[in-house]
Amino acid sequence: MALVAASRKVGMRMRMLGDSYSFSFSTESQSHYRKQISLANLFKKYGFPSSLLPSFLSQNPSLFHSPLPQLNKSLATLFSLRIPQNAIVSLLRDCPSILDCTFLNNFQSRLPEFKSRFPNPSPSTLVNLLHCSRRFHLDPLHLSHKLDSFMGLGFSQATVVRVLEGFPSGLVTSGGEAVRVVEFLVEFGVPRDEIDRVVGLFPRVLGLGVEDRLKPLICELRGLGFSGREIRKEIVRDPRILGMEIGEFSRCLRLLETLKCREAIKERALGERLMRACFEVKLRVDCLCGHGLTRRDAFKVLWKEPRVITYDVGDIEKKIEFLMHRMKFSVDCLLDAPEYLGVNFEKQIVPRYNVVEYLEAKGAIGFEVGLKDLIKPSRLRFYNLYVKPYPECEKIYGRFSGDLQVKRKHPLGLWKLFKPHKFPESDEDVRNMKCFMDSLV
């Protein structure tokens, strides 16, 4: 009996301990959930997108240990700097430690001294200033001293601001590397007054190693047959050439030399300068790669459809955006139908897709129209297949409609002017021709 009573007491104690443990666990989970809701409401209040909040809070658990009033004060301080909302959201995603209250108070107190040296900084300048100050543990006053030393190299204040907007780490971490880059450009023959423009247009040149990138690139260009004068001229014209990878220029040149297209298109692709044409190929390859194609596939698309080289990068971007978001095709479809990037967007792509979209919604097409089926047919063939049987598509398509009359290139009867005159033949002419032919036999 004593043993049974002891076992009952032990069981009761275990149940009591289990109940208290489950209660504490549930209380802790509820407090965490409440803190998560409070944080989400706070960030929503300042315009943080709801779709990004779950991943943002899960990746930054330290926010759960920060008091809400302190976070509210930090966010209010950030927005008091008059930085756009989307820029602040991007800054917080990249560097959430910006919300440290002590750092922001120090930054706000030092900011007037920075503005006295660089008045009216742009929002992107302030964002990079915040990011650099937090990342490298600098206050704006120390950072402004570094900018002053950089201006001692001969750069204008406008160039320093552009570098701070485009490549701020080049100012903070690599002061000696910036000096080596400037010395290399001067030794290569770029005028010192043009170096300020080069760095202002392409600030990332300060982060390129002289021995690793710049010297091998110049050697590659010289090996391809370009003179030093031509290289310097193109560098001053568009300094982004210095950012090309080693071997990339050679590949672009081989593509231009092996193009198989009409001579008019090839002349437009090559332009006046072959070096500039290679760089234009590089820009379009980067554009295609930015949307998901590999570099090999991007070069293949350009080789199959050289007209892409003659279009602006903005036009290519517009066509790819329409392809992926409106037409719902994958970017890989360009490998099978590269002609999509070579045809006119307003006159051919949009009207044809509007016709096909209307017919599919109506149920008039019982099969799926692929990108190749949309682009490959000629204008007249597409009209006969998809527009002519449906009169309501005439206005959508526009071309070859009933009210449209195709203008003749030449006036009527012009061919008669090119018809040779017929002269009468006499008997004497016939005898002369017979005698001539007999002499040949």
Side-chain angles (χ1 to χ4, degrees):
M1 294 293 292
L3 181 62
V4 172
S7 63
R8 288 178 179 176
K9 291 181 180 179
V10 171
M12 290 177 64
R13 290 178 181 177
M14 293 294 293
R15 284 195 296 272
M16 291 175 63
L17 289 173
D19 293 342
S20 63
Y21 176 77
S22 61
F23 177 76
S24 62
F25 180 78
S26 61
T27 303
E28 182 180 357
S29 61
Q30 288 178 4
S31 63
H32 181 80
Y33 180 69
R34 289 175 181 174
K35 186 63 177 292
Q36 187 176 10
I37 292 177
S38 301
L39 286 174
N41 291 333
L42 177 62
F43 282 100
K44 283 181 182 178
K45 173 184 173 183
Y46 286 95
F48 208 95
S50 302
S51 59
L52 301 178
L53 278 174
S55 60
F56 177 73
L57 294 178
S58 62
Q59 293 172 5
N60 300 281
S62 60
L63 295 175
F64 291 92
H65 304 289
S66 301
L68 287 178
Q70 186 175 346
L71 288 176
N72 188 16
K73 183 179 179 181
S74 299
L75 289 170
T77 303
L78 276 177
F79 277 91
S80 67
L81 299 176
R82 297 182 180 180
I83 300 176
Q85 189 178 43
N86 56 349
I88 292 181
V89 171
S90 178
L91 177 63
L92 291 178
R93 293 181 63 189
D94 295 337
C95 187
S97 60
I98 292 289
L99 292 174
D100 182 70
C101 191
T102 306
F103 164 75
L104 284 176
N105 290 336
N106 185 33
F107 182 88
Q108 194 174 26
S109 63
R110 295 286 193 175
L111 190 58
E113 299 181 29
F114 177 83
K115 289 184 177 180
S116 64
R117 288 186 172 88
F118 301 93
N120 301 323
S122 64
S124 58
T125 302
L126 292 176
V127 168
N128 288 331
L129 190 65
L130 279 165
H131 195 276
C132 287
S133 300
R134 186 57 180 168
R135 179 182 176 186
F136 301 107
H137 305 287
L138 299 172
D139 60 27
L141 184 60
H142 291 166
L143 188 56
S144 63
H145 290 324
K146 287 182 173 290
L147 299 181
D148 290 338
S149 63
F150 186 76
M151 291 176 64
L153 299 176
F155 294 104
S156 63
Q157 184 175 352
T159 299
V160 174
V161 172
R162 291 194 192 101
V163 173
L164 187 58
E165 293 177 355
F167 188 60
S169 58
L171 292 175
V172 179
T173 59
S174 57
E177 186 64 31
V179 174
R180 287 190 288 272
V181 170
V182 172
E183 292 177 350
F184 172 77
L185 293 177
V186 172
E187 292 177 0
F188 182 64
V190 179
R192 185 170 286 275
D193 56 344
E194 293 288 350
I195 292 179
D196 183 75
R197 179 177 178 275
V198 169
V199 175
L201 292 177
F202 185 57
R204 292 191 175 273
V205 70
L206 299 176
L208 301 177
V210 175
E211 300 294 335
D212 299 336
R213 290 287 299 273
L214 297 181
K215 283 186 177 180
L217 179 63
I218 298 300
C219 292
E220 179 186 0
L221 293 175
R222 287 185 180 276
L224 294 175
F226 298 107
S227 64
R229 180 181 179 183
E230 186 177 2
I231 297 173
R232 287 192 295 271
K233 188 175 181 179
E234 291 299 327
I235 288 175
V236 173
R237 179 185 178 186
D238 196 337
R240 293 179 298 171
I241 291 177
L242 295 173
M244 294 186 70
E245 299 287 342
I246 307 302
E248 193 174 15
F249 223 106
S250 304
R251 191 172 183 182
C252 294
L253 182 61
R254 285 197 299 270
L255 182 138
L256 290 173
E257 292 175 345
T258 57
L259 287 180
K260 297 180 180 179
C261 57
R262 289 180 294 168
E263 194 64 27
I265 297 176
K266 192 170 185 179
E267 289 179 357
R268 289 181 59 191
L270 294 176
E272 299 178 358
R273 300 181 181 87
L274 185 58
M275 186 174 173
R276 179 66 191 182
C278 294
F279 183 67
E280 293 292 339
V281 172
K282 179 251 194 302
L283 293 179
R284 282 141 187 83
V285 169
D286 290 345
C287 174
L288 295 175
C289 292
H291 288 279
L293 287 181
T294 62
R295 301 196 73 82
R296 182 179 180 181
D297 291 340
F299 274 100
K300 187 182 296 184
V301 169
L302 292 183
W303 188 81
K304 288 183 178 180
E305 185 51 69
R307 289 180 292 180
V308 182
I309 307 174
T310 64
Y311 287 124
D312 293 334
V313 178
D315 295 336
I316 301 173
E317 292 275 359
K318 183 168 62 175
K319 291 179 181 178
I320 297 178
E321 291 291 334
F322 189 83
L323 174 73
M324 299 176 65
H325 296 97
R326 176 77 186 278
M327 301 173 69
K328 305 300 181 183
F329 282 109
S330 171
V331 71
D332 295 330
C333 295
L334 295 176
L335 296 174
D336 298 327
E339 297 85 1
Y340 171 83
L341 297 176
V343 298
N344 190 282
F345 179 73
E346 301 291 343
K347 296 181 179 179
Q348 190 162 346
I349 295 176
V350 175
R352 291 191 181 194
Y353 178 72
N354 289 339
V355 169
V356 172
E357 185 182 36
Y358 172 79
L359 295 178
E360 287 179 348
K362 187 181 177 181
I365 300 180
F367 57 92
E368 183 178 357
V369 180
L371 185 62
K372 186 181 293 187
D373 302 327
L374 193 69
I375 300 299
K376 282 279 189 180
S378 64
R379 294 178 180 177
L380 183 59
R381 178 172 174 79
F382 184 87
Y383 173 81
N384 291 332
L385 287 174
Y386 299 104
V387 182
K388 191 175 182 179
Y390 308 98
E392 64 271 21
C393 293
E394 294 280 352
K395 293 183 178 180
I396 301 176
Y397 189 56
R399 189 168 176 81
F400 300 115
S401 61
D403 298 334
L404 181 65
Q405 295 181 358
V406 180
K407 295 182 179 180
R408 296 179 179 272
K409 294 183 179 180
H410 305 291
L412 292 174
L414 186 63
W415 63 274
K416 297 180 180 181
L417 300 177
F418 297 97
K419 185 177 180 181
H421 295 286
K422 186 175 181 180
F423 297 95
E425 296 179 352
S426 62
D427 294 338
E428 184 177 1
D429 294 331
V430 174
R431 286 194 298 270
N432 291 335
M433 285 189 288
K434 287 184 178 181
C435 292
F436 177 74
M437 296 301 298
D438 294 338
S439 65
L440 294 178
V441 177

